[in-house]
Amino acid sequence: MGSGYLAVFIGGGLGAALRHGVNRASLAYLGPAFPYGTLSVNVIGGLMMGVLAELFLVKGGGSQDFRLFLTTGVLGGFTTFSAFSLDAALMWQRSDYVALASYIVVSVLLSISALFVGMAAVRGLT
């Protein structure tokens, strides 16, 4: 197993632990009625992926293993499209179609928008 695999493995564990913390905090503070935790990690993850992609593109630097650690590892473990899909399926099964539609639209639009905001923020700093 190469060092890239190790970087992704360790980063994925850290990202998953962070995601778990966000999910627990959102449940404690906002309750279980809406999947705020999953929405939050996907938007934050989109923002951070935009920041990292632009930094790596503009600034270069960082080994391939480091890039894999942050993007595929940490952010891959932190963001959670499979959890998003499960949350959406549960809303469908509860016949909560308004929440389902808003969750899908808001998740996709905010996550993609956050990625562009992250890229633009880095461009503004350079």
Side-chain angles (χ1 to χ4, degrees):
M1 177 169 24
S3 60
Y5 288 105
L6 184 59
V8 170
F9 180 76
I10 292 169
L14 291 172
L18 289 169
R19 180 180 72 230
H20 180 66
V22 170
N23 283 333
R24 288 192 49 112
S26 70
L27 281 172
Y29 293 107
L30 301 171
F34 191 83
Y36 293 105
T38 303
L39 176 61
S40 297
V41 298
N42 286 334
V43 173
I44 293 166
L47 175 67
M48 294 311 301
M49 187 64 82
V51 166
L52 291 174
E54 193 69 17
L55 278 175
F56 293 148
L57 179 68
V58 172
K59 297 288 187 183
S63 69
Q64 182 66 17
D65 286 348
F66 180 66
R67 292 175 186 208
L68 285 171
F69 168 77
L70 290 177
T71 58
T72 305
V74 174
L75 290 179
F78 182 65
T79 60
T80 172
F81 197 76
S82 59
F84 163 81
S85 300
L86 177 60
D87 290 334
L90 292 173
M91 285 184 229
W92 178 273
Q93 289 176 337
R94 290 193 315 248
S95 299
D96 195 352
Y97 302 117
V98 172
L100 170 63
S102 65
Y103 183 53
I104 291 170
V105 169
V106 169
S107 291
V108 171
L109 291 179
L110 285 182
S111 295
I112 293 170
S113 297
L115 183 126
F116 282 113
V117 168
M119 292 173 72
V122 170
R123 286 184 195 134
L125 296 174
T126 56

